[in-house]
Amino acid sequence: MFGTLIHSFHNWFFGRQIPAGSKGRKNQWFREPVRFGAVLVLGLCSCADKEGYPDDLPYPQRVDLIVEEAPKLSPNNPSPPGGLEKSIANLGLVGGKILDPVKLPEATQTEITKLLAEQFGTPAQPRVGDGKTNLPELGKKLKLDSQTLAQGSVAYRRNCLHCHGLSGDGKGSSGLWVHPPPRDFRQGRFKFISTNPAKNLNRPRREDILRTIRMGLHGTSMPAFGILPTEELEALASYVIHLGIRGEVEFTIEKTLLKPQSQVLNLFENYLPDEEVSKDQETLAFFVPKFLQEIVRQYHTAESQVLVPPEYPFKDSELSDSIRRGFRLFSSQAPDALGCVSCHIDYGRQSPWQYDEWGSLNRPSNLTAGIYKGGRRPLDLFWRIKRGIPPSKMPAATLTGEDEGKKTWDLVNFIEALPFPATLPEEVRNAVYGSTGRIAKPN
Amino acid sequence: MNHDSHPAPGNFLTKYVFSGDHKIIGIQFLFSGLLFWILGGLLALGVRLQLGWPNQALNELLKWFPSLADSIPASWGSRISPEFYTMLFTMHATVMIFFVVVPWLGGAFGNYLIPLMIGAKDMAFPKLNMLSYWVLWPAFFFLLASFFVDGGAAGSGWTAYPTLSSATQNADIPDPGLDAAAKATTPTNPPSPTSMEPGLWERIKNRWNSPAAGQSGQGQVYWLLALIFSGTSSMMGSVNYITTILNCRAPGMTLMRMPLTVWGMFVTAILQSLALPVLTVALIMQFLDRTVGTVFFLPPAGLAFGNWQTGTGGGQPLLWQHLFWFYSHPAVYIMILPAMGMVSDVLVAFCRKPLFGYKPMVFSMIGIAGLGFIVWGHHMFQSGMDPRLGTGFMAATVLIAVPSAVKIFNWLATIWGSRIRFTSASLNALAFISMFIIGGLSGIYMASTPVDIYIHDTYFIVAHIHYVLFLSSMFGIYAGIHFWFPKMFGRTMNDSLGKVHFFLTFLLANGTFFPMHILGIRGHPRRYYDPTIFDWLASVQPLNQFVSICAILLGLVQVIFLANFLFSIFFGPKSGRNPWEANTLEWETPSPPGHGNFETTPIVLHGPYEYAVTTAINGRFSQTGLNRDQIQQGNHP
Amino acid sequence: MHRFWSLLFAAVNMACLALLVVAYAYPGLGWWLPDSASTQANEIDSLFYLITGLCAFFFVATQGILIYSLWRFPSTAPGSPSPIHGHPGLEIGWTIAPLVGLLVITAASLPVWKEARYQGFPPPALEGTNPLPPEADQVILVTARQWDWHLKYATESLPAEGIRQWASVGNPSDLIIANELHVWKGAKVSLLLRTTDVIHSFFVPALRLKQDTLPGKTIPMRFEATVSNVRFDPAEGRVVPNETKASWEIACAELCGGNHFRMRGKLFVHPDRKSYDAWLDHSRRQTRSRSLTAMLPNASSSNQKEGALQ
């Protein structure tokens, strides 16, 4: 075979006649390289630069570990770059609980994948709901129609995919190496939200997601995308919600079914307590659309549940006093104060690392640096204080009484002034920066 | 010199593998360069694939080449990822510069030609010569292994600017959970299971990981090691070349009778021996920064990546750029001067006319090399260096264009009034001159500091470097391979195929690299993964696609050369001692020359370029004064 | 056949030249220099054309000689090659000719470089407590990071102790926005470039401005815009494009990791200080607002509906 190849090439190459095999075999030598060339050249020249995902690409099934419960302890350092997955695998050793979705029976895994594909489509044709339920109405209000989602999918692929990954798992090529890791949308949980805590809704408003996309998260690797066209931003927010819902359905089912002796009925009991289910309805096929509907309803409710801040009560001349009161609320452990310093140790300069819901490590913000992940506007600070950051350990402020609003604004004023020693009243400045006038490290 | 202590090799292993014979070593360099040339070319095609169609999903391609699925996984959207893309262009440049052009010009041609052209039996230090090749193998290992480590091969550009390339935590980072668990345990309550504790190698590797980018981690460490070894190899070679050229010349071979190829190698060797230590030091400093926690390139306040802080430093990122360019600007001449010499020799042999202005050619080479040491700062006009330094570097850079222009004019005057035979070798040499004019002229834009403000780090630079390194050096190498192939293998390459290859390469290479000037004038920054997110670059995207199509075709065309080369080694028509009727000494030996090169020590009577001599029998004087028939018969007096 | 190679060299070189000519002659293609909108841009462009002219001359001359020689002197031509070895006069001539051309370029470059870079160097304001350089109308701190630009605008007069203090600490009233550079036409703008992580390069093609940011250093940079592309519309509360319809972008020009290409920003040149001040005031009120209703309808955006500019 090899001899024939050399002979035929030699004949052609040097134009000399050397006896070779049959004519049919003589021409075989160029088949492979020619095919290689033809595929490469014709394939590339003919294809337009197509935006968006290929049509036959499905959402990948979840195979990475589920963090059911994050450990309570505070390690000394964050996980090394690229080490998140290993770190999560070790969580069980330090008091966390992890579940492995691959351990589900294969039939269940297949069923989940099939149901998710039915309800959420593919990256190229994303949708929320299979069109049979009454989602269209709520979905339209939340801009979850398939047209917006398709637009969002294209924009997401261009702008977000490299960090947040195809299914929103936060494990894109760039995302593996940044710290904190990019948000894994698949638990449907978002950190910086502005809904009223009284309603017990841990859902973001669209506006919260939009703010994060527009302004980025200063202090993380999330860039600001504010100069994208408005409708692209809106489409991106819709697509992020879509990924969040899809992931949450998957996450919830897997988390529940992975527990020992659990069954589909537990899903209904835990997540759809009002639903009357008959025995033959205890199937995932029945649960998924119902649960999806419930999540969409919650997102929809959140839209109208913004936590409205009370009117700002102070004149400019009262600012110093307000900062003093805010300082006391922040640093005192008295029962009527908040004692924020117990986590934001040394005003955040020595904050300890803590696990958040996703099993990654974060620490209470260094408030002397003037870097606020959730936004630097007074309103943003107000929401962070009053709403907390539920998925990490930051609790909502428990201020009570009729001057609750005033107290919150005191705290906002103090936090706003904290990075600027010159604007702090003298005793506050001495307490925070010492009498030597040490200033925050420039950044 | 000490050739007598270097006996003729006995068995296969000492003859072809661990050989001290400069000819075998040259051919070893040639072949390993060839393999890396293919690798580097494929990496370049990956870059062009992404830039031509930045949003294209490659699922169709994956159906044909499923082995790519690991590099372009579906979970990242079946497309080249930005990290993979940075790896592609970084490794393309690294491979092409340090593992193809430098080993080919210095290692292959330098080794093969220097002793033959100066009439020496072998290199001055045959063992050192052997070592210079085998030290390259650890470099091959680290380079190839780096593609398979966590995070992938190096991706911080071939220039590897800190702090992108050097940022680390500078401390051993244990797994946070395990660390806390270990603290919580008491001697009576050991942590369980202990097997989860990472091993030593795992911990070392983790320590190399970078918060700046995945490829700046372990891949970067391997990259540094590869370059340290490849630099050591070049260093050994250059010491050897200098000694050989100064001490081992045949009787009568004065410095001013040396062929320009040897002059090119000589000047290059001096450049390398003076500049390479600086790069090696810089590489070792970055290696220490990455592995043991020194802070040569980390600024005092440290760095913040997201909410990750590195430790405090005390160094200066700009230092790297000075050290790096102190070598890497001379490296540009290291990659062009030997080619200039080779092209001169090839050209003259086919023009049948003396080289015009031998002495000015030699002095311009020396001038380029001398000035080459004081122009490194022109890579750093926008780096934050004091602008007053920029003014000085501009003046030096402008001056270095003069000797280059002198060379061009002398080549043109050589061609003028000649009688050129168009062969594959001479066409490639002519293309070198034509393309070097373009590469040289586009360099003037960068020398002018204010224009460089705009042109710096755009595609204009990419166009310029490829006109100098691909369209000049590579055409010089093609010319050299076609020209000296008969001497190396005793057979000639197919000239028709060579011409077809030249024709297509000349067209497609210009189609690939000339439009890059337009991209650069538009302001297209280099190393961009997806230029289409910018409105102002939308208009040049069709050019990008055109460039990519040309580049892919260009890559395919090289198969012609490769096939011609490989098949001619075994099946090409046999050549005599001197198929081109050239004058220099190597043509007086058998093809290929035996151990010890010359049957009798040649005595040099003439300069290398005595063509068009009306009084001589063949119209020329060979350097020894022998005529054609005497040479063909090996009939030395 | 031998003429073929001469023609090939001619064709390839002429095609290269033709591409440049086409790109220059048809601005509609968008294959030439982008808009130029600063004093420095105009000077750099003039210099670019000067160099292009000289290079074109040398290009045509040298390639012309080469192509003519290939045409005229193939081995098949009658006669024999001339045995000439060199000519000192010619050597001196063609050493001096390029030298003169290059010195012209150097002489033309020096004042432009000085204008673009020497001002503010060595940076007096950063090393001590020197006050703001008096000639600057506007000081903007640009902090680069992986992968966006944070720009800090001073909304009140800078503290007496100088801009070093302002750059590292600043005032509570400073406006910090991402990826948007707002200046006004004719303002002498002083940029302070910083980075928190790796080397980036602040590249504004329309201003012909490019400067690396170095970790651990603050690098001053000056420019003066000469054309405006937007104005602030108080009624709509946002910046709207003016008749030029020009959209100018900011890019990163030094490799800073995988998402190097992602660092896209925009340049907004207001027609006058009034429009700029109105924008600054509006943006500050938006970002300082403490009530939800005052923020609506753009409740979350400090930087208005930039999308309208697309």
Side-chain angles (χ1 to χ4, degrees), chain B residues 214-250:
Chain B
Q215 307 76 2
S216 302
Q218 299 172 24
Q220 185 69 21
V221 175
Y222 280 57
W223 182 90
L224 289 166
L225 287 169
L227 255 61
I228 289 170
F229 279 104
S230 111
T232 311
S233 156
S234 299
M235 192 74 210
M236 291 173 177
S238 55
V239 169
N240 212 349
Y241 298 169
I242 294 172
T243 319
T244 306
I245 292 171
L246 288 179
N247 290 323
C248 302
R249 297 193 307 279

Coordinates of all heavy atoms in Angstrom, one line a residue, chain B residues 214-250:
Chain B
G214 N -6.0 32.0 33.0 CA -5.7 30.6 33.1 C -4.3 30.3 32.5 O -3.5 29.6 33.1
Q215 N -4.1 30.8 31.3 CA -2.8 30.5 30.6 C -1.6 31.2 31.2 O -0.5 30.9 30.8 CB -2.9 30.9 29.1 CG -4.0 30.4 28.4 CD -5.2 31.2 28.6 OE1 -5.2 32.1 29.4 NE2 -6.2 30.8 28.0
S216 N -1.9 32.1 32.1 CA -0.7 32.8 32.7 C -0.2 32.0 33.9 O 0.7 32.4 34.6 CB -1.0 34.2 33.2 OG -1.5 34.9 32.1
G217 N -0.8 30.8 34.1 CA -0.4 30.0 35.2 C 0.7 28.9 34.8 O 1.8 29.3 34.5
Q218 N 0.3 27.7 34.9 CA 1.3 26.6 34.7 C 1.8 26.7 33.3 O 3.0 26.5 33.1 CB 0.6 25.3 34.9 CG 0.1 25.1 36.3 CD -0.7 23.9 36.5 OE1 -0.6 22.9 35.8 NE2 -1.6 23.8 37.5
G219 N 1.0 27.0 32.3 CA 1.5 27.1 30.9 C 2.6 28.1 30.8 O 3.6 27.9 30.1
Q220 N 2.5 29.2 31.6 CA 3.5 30.3 31.5 C 4.8 29.8 32.1 O 5.9 30.1 31.6 CB 3.0 31.5 32.3 CG 3.9 32.7 32.2 CD 4.0 33.3 30.8 OE1 3.1 33.1 30.0 NE2 5.0 34.0 30.5
V221 N 4.7 29.0 33.1 CA 6.0 28.4 33.7 C 6.7 27.5 32.7 O 7.9 27.6 32.5 CB 5.6 27.6 35.0 CG1 6.9 26.9 35.6 CG2 5.0 28.5 36.1
Y222 N 5.9 26.7 32.0 CA 6.5 25.8 31.0 C 7.1 26.6 29.9 O 8.1 26.3 29.3 CB 5.4 24.8 30.5 CG 5.1 23.6 31.4 CD1 4.7 23.8 32.7 CD2 5.3 22.4 30.9 CE1 4.5 22.8 33.5 CE2 5.0 21.3 31.7 CZ 4.6 21.5 33.0 OH 4.4 20.4 33.8
W223 N 6.4 27.7 29.5 CA 6.9 28.6 28.5 C 8.2 29.1 28.8 O 9.1 29.1 28.0 CB 5.8 29.7 28.3 CG 6.1 30.6 27.2 CD1 5.7 30.5 25.9 CD2 6.8 31.9 27.3 NE1 6.1 31.6 25.2 CE2 6.8 32.5 26.0 CE3 7.4 32.6 28.3 CZ2 7.3 33.7 25.7 CZ3 8.0 33.8 28.0 CH2 7.9 34.4 26.8
L224 N 8.3 29.6 30.1 CA 9.6 30.2 30.5 C 10.7 29.2 30.5 O 11.8 29.4 30.0 CB 9.5 30.7 32.0 CG 8.6 32.0 32.1 CD1 8.2 32.2 33.6 CD2 9.3 33.2 31.6
L225 N 10.4 27.9 30.9 CA 11.4 26.9 30.9 C 11.8 26.6 29.4 O 13.0 26.5 29.1 CB 10.9 25.6 31.6 CG 10.8 25.7 33.1 CD1 10.0 24.5 33.6 CD2 12.2 25.7 33.7
A226 N 10.9 26.5 28.6 CA 11.2 26.2 27.2 C 12.1 27.3 26.6 O 13.1 27.0 25.9 CB 9.9 26.1 26.3
L227 N 11.8 28.5 26.9 CA 12.6 29.6 26.3 C 14.0 29.7 27.0 O 15.0 30.0 26.3 CB 11.9 31.0 26.5 CG 11.3 31.4 25.2 CD1 10.3 30.5 24.7 CD2 10.7 32.8 25.3
I228 N 14.1 29.3 28.2 CA 15.4 29.3 28.8 C 16.3 28.3 28.1 O 17.5 28.5 27.8 CB 15.3 29.0 30.4 CG1 14.7 30.2 31.1 CG2 16.7 28.7 30.9 CD1 14.3 30.0 32.5
F229 N 15.7 27.1 27.9 CA 16.5 26.1 27.2 C 16.8 26.4 25.8 O 18.0 26.2 25.3 CB 15.8 24.7 27.3 CG 16.0 24.0 28.6 CD1 15.0 24.0 29.5 CD2 17.2 23.4 28.9 CE1 15.2 23.3 30.7 CE2 17.4 22.8 30.1 CZ 16.4 22.7 31.0
S230 N 15.9 27.0 25.1 CA 16.1 27.3 23.7 C 17.2 28.5 23.6 O 18.0 28.5 22.7 CB 14.8 27.7 23.0 OG 14.8 29.0 22.6
G231 N 17.1 29.4 24.6 CA 18.2 30.4 24.6 C 19.5 29.9 24.9 O 20.5 30.3 24.3
T232 N 19.6 28.9 25.8 CA 20.9 28.3 26.1 C 21.5 27.6 24.8 O 22.6 27.7 24.5 CB 20.7 27.2 27.2 OG1 20.0 27.8 28.2 CG2 22.0 26.7 27.7
S233 N 20.6 27.0 24.1 CA 21.0 26.3 22.8 C 21.6 27.4 21.9 O 22.7 27.2 21.3 CB 19.8 25.6 22.2 OG 20.0 25.5 20.8
S234 N 20.9 28.5 21.7 CA 21.4 29.5 20.8 C 22.7 30.1 21.2 O 23.6 30.4 20.5 CB 20.4 30.7 20.7 OG 19.2 30.2 20.2
M235 N 22.8 30.2 22.6 CA 24.0 30.7 23.2 C 25.2 29.9 22.8 O 26.3 30.3 22.4 CB 23.8 30.8 24.7 CG 24.8 31.6 25.4 SD 24.5 33.3 25.1 CE 26.2 33.9 25.3
M236 N 25.0 28.5 23.0 CA 26.1 27.6 22.7 C 26.5 27.7 21.3 O 27.7 27.7 20.9 CB 25.7 26.2 23.0 CG 25.5 25.9 24.5 SD 24.8 24.3 24.7 CE 24.8 24.2 26.5
G237 N 25.5 27.8 20.4 CA 25.7 27.9 19.0 C 26.5 29.1 18.7 O 27.5 29.0 17.9
S238 N 26.1 30.3 19.2 CA 26.8 31.5 18.8 C 28.3 31.5 19.3 O 29.1 32.0 18.5 CB 26.0 32.7 19.3 OG 25.8 32.6 20.7
V239 N 28.5 31.0 20.5 CA 29.9 31.0 20.9 C 30.8 30.2 19.9 O 31.9 30.5 19.5 CB 30.0 30.4 22.3 CG1 31.4 30.1 22.7 CG2 29.4 31.3 23.3
N240 N 30.2 29.0 19.6 CA 30.9 28.1 18.6 C 31.1 28.8 17.3 O 32.2 28.7 16.7 CB 30.0 26.9 18.4 CG 30.8 25.7 18.2 OD1 32.0 25.8 18.0 ND2 30.1 24.5 18.2
Y241 N 30.1 29.5 16.8 CA 30.2 30.2 15.5 C 31.4 31.2 15.5 O 32.2 31.3 14.6 CB 29.0 30.9 15.0 CG 27.8 29.9 14.8 CD1 26.5 30.4 14.7 CD2 27.9 28.6 14.8 CE1 25.4 29.6 14.5 CE2 26.9 27.7 14.7 CZ 25.6 28.2 14.5 OH 24.5 27.4 14.4
I242 N 31.4 32.0 16.6 CA 32.4 33.1 16.6 C 33.8 32.5 16.6 O 34.6 32.9 15.9 CB 32.1 33.9 17.9 CG1 30.8 34.7 17.8 CG2 33.3 34.9 18.1 CD1 30.4 35.4 19.1
T243 N 34.0 31.4 17.5 CA 35.3 30.8 17.5 C 35.7 30.2 16.2 O 36.8 30.4 15.7 CB 35.3 29.7 18.6 OG1 34.5 30.2 19.7 CG2 36.6 29.3 19.0
T244 N 34.7 29.5 15.6 CA 35.0 28.8 14.3 C 35.4 29.8 13.3 O 36.4 29.7 12.6 CB 33.8 28.0 13.9 OG1 33.4 27.2 14.9 CG2 34.1 27.2 12.7
I245 N 34.6 30.9 13.2 CA 34.9 31.9 12.1 C 36.2 32.6 12.3 O 36.9 32.8 11.4 CB 33.7 32.9 12.0 CG1 32.5 32.1 11.5 CG2 34.0 34.0 11.1 CD1 31.2 32.9 11.5
L246 N 36.5 32.8 13.6 CA 37.7 33.5 13.9 C 39.0 32.6 13.7 O 40.0 33.1 13.4 CB 37.7 34.2 15.2 CG 36.8 35.4 15.3 CD1 36.8 36.0 16.7 CD2 37.1 36.5 14.3
N247 N 38.8 31.4 14.1 CA 40.0 30.5 14.2 C 40.2 29.4 13.1 O 41.3 28.9 13.0 CB 40.0 29.8 15.5 CG 40.3 30.8 16.6 OD1 41.1 31.8 16.5 ND2 39.7 30.7 17.8
C248 N 39.1 29.1 12.5 CA 39.2 27.8 11.6 C 39.1 28.1 10.1 O 38.8 27.2 9.4 CB 38.1 26.9 12.0 SG 38.1 26.4 13.8
R249 N 39.3 29.4 9.7 CA 39.3 29.6 8.3 C 40.4 29.0 7.5 O 41.5 28.9 8.0 CB 39.2 31.1 8.1 CG 38.0 31.8 8.7 CD 37.9 33.3 8.2 NE 39.1 34.0 8.3 CZ 39.5 34.6 9.4 NH1 38.8 34.5 10.5 NH2 40.7 35.3 9.5
A250 N 40.1 28.6 6.3 CA 41.2 28.0 5.5 C 42.2 29.0 5.1 O 42.0 30.2 5.2 CB 40.5 27.5 4.2

